[in-house]
Amino acid sequence: MANEKKSNNFKINPILIYVIVIAGFIALNYFGGSGFQDSTKISSSKFDEYLNKGQIEKVIVYNNTQGEAYLTKAALTDKANAKVSKDMLGNANKGPHFSFDTGNQESFQKKIEKAKQEGKIKDFDFQAKSNWSELLITLLPFIIIIGIWILIMRRMSGGAGGGGGQIFNIGKSRAKLFDEKTEVKTTFKDVAGLEGAKEEIQEIVEFLKTPEKYTILGGKIPKGALLVGPPGTGKTLLAKAVAGEAKVPFFSLSGSDFVEMFVGVGASRVRDLFKQAKDKAPSIIFIDEIDAVGRARGKNNMSGGNDERENTLNQLLTEMDGFGTNTHVIVIAATNRADVLDKALMRAGRFDRQIYVDLPDIRERKEIFEVHLAPLKKVENLDTEFLAKQTPGFSGADIANVCNEAALIAARNNKTAVDKQDFLDAVDRIVGGLEKKNKIVTTEEKHAIAVHEAGHATVSWMLEHAAPLIKVTIVPRGQSLGAAWYLPEERLIVRPDQMLDEMCATMGGRAAEKVVFNKISTGALSDLEKVTKQARAMVTIYGLNDKIGNITYYDSTGQSEYSFSKPYSEETALVIDKEISIMIENEYQRAIKILEDNKEKLEQLAAILIEKEVIFKDDLETIFGKRPFNIPPEETDIV
């Protein structure tokens, strides 16, 4: 039995086969022919010259047309024959030493018989010679080229190297299989937050474990679940947890694994994937970044009816809900571009459930921090709630990066444990970029930067709905020369006055330059970009402008990005541009008014900023006093 199993697993290395074939031809040439001896082609007159001198010992004629001459030992000692006395390896050449054309058969035979009678040659022979070895040697380069091509095809299909498997398996699925033999350590316990998404995913896993719990009531398991959300929110992590929790085969691959340069390969791989999954049913298929293959059909006019990606998508649609559908194969997919997916892929019966994996809130960020802080050597009583408050808008991947960066910063500073300041420095590093300590900034530029950042801080302090300030710095980081750090309130809906206050605070930097220096600079580029996007969104997306009215030009289906025409007229475009300009200019003038009323405090704050380079909320309270608005309790203990 053991011998049988061993023979079944035996695989032949194709490279070894080619080496053996080439070595065989060399051996055939060496042992079957004349080895590495050198045979020089000569004319018939030159042969007659050697023959008349008595320097030829033996002649063999093949097929009455080709002759080979062997020189005598005495002739080989002659300097004139030094070239043929040695072979390619430097050894004595045993012959044949010359080859020649015999010409007319009868005359050559008479000539050779006469030379033997006169003692000028010892022996001669006429033989028949087959040309199959020469033919094989001629075909050897073609055999090698075909062998190399086969190796390339095997490597493209994942079967090269050690050899074995099918030669043309390029149409086979590249999915990685996780089953009871594969150890997957990620479980639902490792997925912090995402309670709603985990609940739905867990339900799918439980159905595969105990289907009778649901089928007894007549229920049917969803055929597919689509995980949608921004990058880094944990979609792939959820899939890993499913692979670790499910006691069924789990096939994992990316949407790009279906795409290949050869026509029909994508559809073939889809068929093979579902065939493997059905053979091991009940099973789960996970397709990461499905938008690589699932984009809506017919949007790219440059591709014809035989577009390879569309053929692959058509096959995927058929496998998920066609005549031969197997209900015990569940497809889980992940994407952050659900708006570009084909409608046929999104309908009920294929992806029945769309699970939105959103950015974590403050409670979920705290849970995520606790997961990623576990392997770190940190100080005791580290406040994870404080860290969660300092990272608004961070995804799970961002938080993992913060924890890793904090550990690197602590190690760089020769600390024995990671502390609170390391995490704050890590947030600064990730959000603002690397601190540029050697950047040359003149005194005049430093004063302008300090006034600019102090303007942001002053205006945001005086506005009710502006985000609370954490700190202000004029230390260059990344592409910015300075920055004001805020802790934005996590709102589910945003009102116009809140958006306008944020725009006013953003324009505070340029307004401060105008108030203090009576001139402006290019330092407000990022501020202008931000407020322009906000104003355009208020006018064209959220319907918050009186002139345009309750109209939105936002297209949630993603069709507009493929259209070359605007969804509004030229007259409306002029109104939109005018309203955006008016909105931004109004907030700019409001920021100037606030700063003129507090010009002395603005300059005092800028002076402190030049001296310390980094100031915090306490410094603003010293100058301006407490904020004149009611701050929510959860924000009062931020810094």
Side-chain angles (χ1 to χ4, degrees):
M1 187 71 180
N3 293 334
E4 182 182 354
K5 183 177 181 181
K6 182 177 179 180
S7 63
N8 290 336
N9 293 334
F10 177 73
K11 296 179 179 179
I12 300 175
N13 192 329
I15 298 179
L16 181 61
I17 293 177
Y18 303 138
V19 172
I20 292 174
V21 170
I22 295 172
F25 281 121
I26 295 175
L28 180 66
N29 185 49
Y30 183 77
F31 295 107
S34 56
F36 291 100
Q37 314 303 328
D38 187 14
S39 178
T40 304
K41 184 83 172 181
I42 60 174
S43 63
S44 58
S45 59
K46 189 69 175 178
F47 170 76
D48 292 342
E49 183 180 339
Y50 279 108
L51 185 64
N52 294 332
K53 289 181 180 180
Q55 293 181 338
I56 296 179
E57 182 175 0
K58 180 175 67 172
V59 171
I60 299 177
V61 179
Y62 295 100
N63 300 332
N64 297 323
T65 56
Q66 296 292 326
E68 291 182 350
Y70 294 78
L71 297 180
T72 61
K73 293 182 179 179
L76 290 173
T77 59
D78 192 348
K79 292 183 179 180
N81 300 321
K83 291 183 178 181
V84 298
S85 63
K86 302 290 183 180
D87 61 15
M88 290 186 297
L89 301 179
N91 301 321
N93 191 351
K94 297 179 181 180
H97 303 103
F98 297 112
S99 63
F100 58 94
D101 294 329
T102 59
N104 184 272
Q105 179 182 351
E106 292 184 4
S107 60
F108 178 78
Q109 187 170 354
K110 290 179 181 179
K111 179 172 60 177
I112 205 75
E113 289 176 350
K114 181 180 179 182
K116 186 176 182 181
Q117 291 175 0
E118 296 175 354
K120 295 180 180 179
I121 186 173
K122 290 184 179 181
D123 192 16
F124 69 91
D125 190 15
F126 289 84
Q127 298 179 3
K129 182 178 181 182
S130 61
N131 294 327
W132 67 270
S133 60
E134 294 181 1
L135 178 62
L136 289 178
I137 293 175
T138 304
L139 295 176
L140 180 61
F142 299 98
I143 296 174
I144 294 175
I145 291 173
I146 293 173
I148 292 174
W149 179 79
I150 291 174
L151 285 176
I152 293 174
M153 294 296 294
R154 289 174 58 83
R155 188 169 297 277
M156 289 178 63
S157 59
Q166 301 180 31
I167 294 179
F168 298 100
N169 62 346
I170 193 170
K172 298 296 180 182
S173 170
R174 294 185 175 183
K176 188 174 182 180
L177 173 62
F178 298 90
D179 53 16
E180 66 277 358
K181 300 177 183 178
T182 309
E183 184 182 2
V184 182
K185 297 181 179 179
T186 305
T187 63
F188 286 127
K189 294 181 180 179
D190 301 313
V191 183
L194 309 179
E195 297 302 328
K198 279 198 298 183
E199 183 177 349
E200 295 210 41
I201 290 291
Q202 280 177 317
E203 187 177 30
I204 293 176
V205 175
E206 289 176 6
F207 181 90
L208 293 172
K209 290 181 179 179
T210 57
E212 62 277 359
K213 175 182 176 183
Y214 299 87
T215 56
I216 194 173
L217 300 176
K220 294 181 180 179
I221 190 67
K223 295 178 182 178
L226 183 64
L227 301 175
V228 184
T233 50
K235 299 183 295 295
T236 306
L237 181 64
L238 271 175
K240 288 182 180 179
V242 173
E245 293 279 353
K247 302 302 181 183
V248 297
F250 184 93
F251 295 87
S252 175
L253 75 164
S254 170
S256 60
D257 289 334
F258 294 114
V259 182
E260 193 58 76
M261 64 180 288
F262 301 105
V263 176
V265 170
S268 175
R269 287 178 178 171
V270 171
R271 287 192 295 270
D272 186 66
L273 171 63
F274 278 84
K275 182 180 181 299
Q276 293 182 41
K278 291 174 184 178
D279 290 342
K280 293 182 177 292
S283 59
I284 297 175
I285 296 174
F286 174 65
I287 306 176
D288 200 5
E289 305 297 344
I290 194 174
D291 52 277
V293 70
R295 283 178 175 265
R297 294 164 291 180
K299 289 185 176 180
N300 188 0
N301 295 325
M302 298 300 293
S303 61
N306 289 325
D307 181 59
E308 176 63 11
R309 184 188 57 78
E310 290 193 4
N311 292 339
T312 306
L313 175 57
N314 290 337
Q315 186 63 43
L316 181 62
L317 296 174
T318 303
E319 294 290 347
M320 288 189 68
D321 189 17
F323 272 18
T325 303
N326 189 325
T327 55
H328 294 289
V329 176
I330 296 175
V331 181
I332 300 176
T335 181
N336 47 33
R337 293 295 310 278
D339 55 312
V340 303
L341 295 181
D342 195 275
K343 291 181 179 179
L345 195 63
M346 306 289 286
R347 73 159 175 82
R350 291 197 174 109
F351 284 113
D352 300 285
R353 297 186 180 183
Q354 291 188 39
I355 304 172
Y356 194 75
V357 185
D358 203 355
L359 290 171
D361 57 24
I362 186 170
R363 177 184 55 83
E364 292 174 327
R365 290 199 300 272
K366 180 181 178 182
E367 295 177 6
I368 296 172
F369 263 111
E370 290 172 353
V371 170
H372 292 295
L373 287 174
L376 297 184
K377 188 176 181 181
K378 54 190 178 296
V379 295
E380 295 183 2
N381 302 322
L382 182 64
D383 190 357
T384 55
E385 187 173 354
F386 169 81
L387 298 178
K389 290 178 179 178
Q390 298 299 311
T391 51
F394 276 45
S395 66
D398 293 331
I399 293 174
N401 194 19
V402 167
C403 294
N404 182 66
E405 191 67 35
L408 297 179
I409 292 173
R412 197 178 300 133
N413 295 328
N414 300 317
K415 295 183 180 179
T416 57
V418 187
D419 58 24
K420 173 181 172 181
Q421 187 58 45
D422 296 324
F423 284 97
L424 294 177
D425 293 340
V427 172
D428 292 349
R429 168 69 178 85
I430 292 171
V431 176
L434 183 65
E435 182 178 329
K436 297 182 179 179
K437 299 179 180 179
N438 57 348
K439 196 175 187 69
I440 300 175
V441 181
T442 64
T443 305
E444 182 181 355
E445 289 176 333
K446 191 173 184 179
H447 185 205
I449 296 169
V451 169
H452 184 101
E453 300 304 332
H456 284 306
T458 302
V459 175
S460 64
W461 194 263
M462 296 297 173
L463 294 175
E464 180 179 359
H465 301 293
L469 183 76
I470 296 178
K471 71 176 182 180
V472 185
T473 176
I474 58 172
V475 177
R477 281 186 178 274
Q479 295 182 347
S480 64
L481 299 175
W485 302 85
Y486 303 96
L487 186 59
E489 182 182 347
E490 297 183 29
R491 308 183 183 107
L492 297 178
I493 59 173
V494 184
R495 302 190 183 280
D497 53 349
Q498 295 169 338
M499 298 183 73
L500 293 175
D501 279 4
E502 291 177 2
M503 291 173 60
C504 183
T506 305
M507 294 300 295
R510 169 159 284 194
E513 296 180 40
K514 180 67 175 178
V515 169
V516 175
F517 305 115
N518 197 27
K519 54 185 177 181
I520 56 178
S521 68
T522 60
L525 173 61
S526 60
D527 299 335
L528 296 175
E529 181 184 8
K530 180 180 177 181
V531 296
T532 303
K533 287 181 178 179
Q534 285 180 313
R536 182 169 294 276
M538 291 180 68
V539 175
T540 63
I541 296 178
Y542 300 115
L544 299 178
N545 181 263
D546 295 334
K547 289 289 184 66
I548 298 298
N550 299 318
I551 296 177
T552 180
Y553 298 106
Y554 173 70
D555 185 6
S556 61
T557 64
Q559 297 280 351
S560 58
E561 64 179 278
Y562 296 94
S563 177
F564 294 100
S565 61
K566 295 179 180 179
Y568 43 78
S569 65
E570 291 298 328
E571 292 78 6
T572 304
L574 292 175
V575 176
I576 289 173
D577 291 340
K578 184 177 180 180
E579 290 301 310
I580 291 173
S581 178
I582 292 174
M583 191 178 299
I584 295 174
E585 189 63 27
N586 287 342
E587 298 311 312
Y588 177 57
Q589 295 299 328
R590 185 155 72 112
I592 290 177
K593 179 67 169 58
I594 293 173
L595 293 174
E596 285 178 344
D597 294 341
N598 298 273
K599 184 176 180 180
E600 183 179 343
K601 295 179 180 179
L602 169 67
E603 294 179 338
Q604 184 180 351
L605 183 63
I608 297 175
L609 193 54
I610 292 174
E611 179 185 352
K612 296 184 177 180
E613 290 192 334
V614 180
I615 60 175
F616 297 92
K617 186 177 74 171
D618 296 337
D619 298 292
L620 270 77
E621 288 184 347
T622 303
I623 298 174
F624 296 99
K626 290 285 186 178
R627 284 191 75 184
F629 313 106
N630 294 325
I631 304 174
E634 65 270 18
E635 295 177 356
T636 55
D637 57 347
I638 290 171
V639 176

